[in-house]
Amino acid sequence: MKRLQLALAAVWIIVSVSVFGCGDNKVSSPAVALPAAGDLVASSAAQASGIVGAASIVKFRYRMQAIGGGLTEANALLFAPPGSPPNGGWPLVVWAHGTTGVADSCAPSRNFAGLTEPAVANALLAAGFAVLAPDYEGLDAPGVHPYFIRSSHSNSVLSAVRAAQAVGSTTVSKAWSIIGHSQGGHVALSAAQFASQLGTDFPLRGVVALAPGSDLVLSSNLAFQSIDALISAGDLNQAAEILFFVQLNGSFAIHGMRTVNPNLDVRRVFGTRMLPLFDLALTDANCEAFGTAIINDLNAFLSGGGNLGSYPGFRRDWVTNNDFASIATANRVGQVRLTAPVLVVQGSADEQVPAGATTVLAQTLIANGTAVSLLDVPGGTHNSIVIDTLPQSVAFLKANR
């Protein structure tokens, strides 16, 4: 084998001298592109339950900046409307999904049949938009999902927008808008804050934030205040529903914080009943088992004579623990001026995102110079506002595309 290698080397030397002349001339090798955020890794045709208005659906994998440094990969779906795209491609809207969980099974590209996903995508497709739906970092992808971590949320979207340009079967515009619900509202506002990282070739036209998560500390305080008030008023069912979502979303938030600081001690924010359940969120095989486990434990606690207001779960005083609260505060959205106009939608009867937190968000955005339209929905719940205000959301996106 060594002789063969030496012989080949000698042949290369002879050929290079005869072709390129004297040794003073240098041979330049073609530049090899290094992997970068926004690279398209792979794509294939896909299906999505409940989608009736798409001419094509593509699932693709792309590179993005990882929360821990370096590059990682994530997934997205791209829906194209029927017909021929206009000059410059189909106007692009990103759908930023709400909380699904932190386990790989919770990736929407695995199952797009959520409570609101198909309805939103169908409405946008009918309005002539291509719809880009990223899973976010860590969902059916390497690592733990950095739930409610602003930089990861932003990178998941911005890299997907860039990678969508390389999906050859669908021509999309570089100008883009974004609509997000719940966690996706945080994602949308995070992406809007850092949209300039894409450069002037990718202008952000508009942002719709539906019941957006914005400030975990404020939302937690308001949620526990509501629980106490409902218990005092004798409305135990409503209090229990809000308490359930505090346990569920609070657990996801702590998992997200641990992607920033793996040394966080969860015993400082969870009581004795939630501690054994906490890691189930990471291994939830059907994206339902973790929530079911919380419900079963709450019922067992109450059946055993426990008081709803003292359930030893996600502790209300976690906000006084600076190790956790500082990460939550650092990942608030809406604290700077956004260049694109924003429509904020909030229901007064939201059981997951306190209406008061969204009011503060809108006021802060306006104070910072962002063009904000606020749509309050009396009696609207966390999920109902998505469907009930779809006409207003689509009209806003059309007016700003």
Side-chain angles (χ1 to χ4, degrees), residues 194-275:
F194 298 103
S196 62
Q197 292 179 0
L198 282 175
T200 56
D201 287 345
F202 291 86
L204 176 62
R205 302 297 196 197
V207 179
V208 178
L210 304 159
S214 57
D215 184 333
L216 289 175
V217 171
L218 175 59
S219 293
S220 178
N221 286 334
L222 292 174
F224 279 112
Q225 289 174 21
S226 292
I227 291 167
D228 291 342
L230 289 165
I231 292 174
S232 295
D235 192 346
L236 299 184
N237 288 336
Q238 184 68 13
E241 183 177 16
I242 295 175
L243 182 63
F244 162 73
F245 283 115
V246 167
Q247 309 309 309
L248 184 77
N249 297 329
S251 298
F252 297 151
I254 300 304
H255 278 298
M257 291 180 194
R258 295 185 82 191
T259 66
V260 176
N261 180 0
N263 297 319
L264 291 173
D265 185 357
V266 299
R267 292 172 300 179
R268 300 174 70 182
V269 292
F270 287 113
T272 54
R273 297 193 76 102
M274 274 300 297
L275 278 171

Side-chain angles (χ1 to χ4, degrees), residues 244 290-300:
F244 162 73
F290 179 55
T292 300
I294 295 174
I295 291 172
N296 290 341
D297 192 70
L298 274 169
N299 286 334

Side-chain angles (χ1 to χ4, degrees), residues 274-363:
M274 274 300 297
L275 278 171
L277 305 180
F278 176 66
D279 282 337
L280 292 177
L282 298 173
T283 58
D284 193 336
N286 62 3
C287 209
E288 296 178 359
F290 179 55
T292 300
I294 295 174
I295 291 172
N296 290 341
D297 192 70
L298 274 169
N299 286 334
F301 175 74
L302 296 175
S303 299
N307 185 290
L308 191 63
S310 59
Y311 175 72
F314 190 51
R315 291 165 43 176
R316 66 178 67 202
D317 65 351
W318 77 270
V319 299
T320 65
N321 187 311
N322 192 57
D323 289 343
F324 294 88
S326 61
I327 297 175
T329 300
N331 287 281
R332 291 181 301 170
V333 290
Q335 305 303 302
V336 299
R337 178 182 178 274
L338 304 180
T339 57
V342 179
L343 172 64
V344 177
V345 182
Q346 178 65 47
S348 65
D350 195 308
E351 65 280 15
Q352 295 192 52
V353 174
T358 302
T359 298
V360 171
L361 167 68
Q363 291 171 344

Side-chain angles (χ1 to χ4, degrees), residues 35-39 62-74 136-138 142 146 149-160 197:
D39 285 350
Y62 62 97
R63 294 191 179 97
M64 61 169 285
Q65 186 73 28
I67 189 67
L71 295 176
T72 188
E73 295 181 0
Y136 312 148
E137 180 180 359
I149 301 301
R150 193 174 59 195
S151 61
S152 177
H153 282 176
S154 172
N155 289 334
S156 295
V157 169
L158 300 184
S159 293
Q197 292 179 0

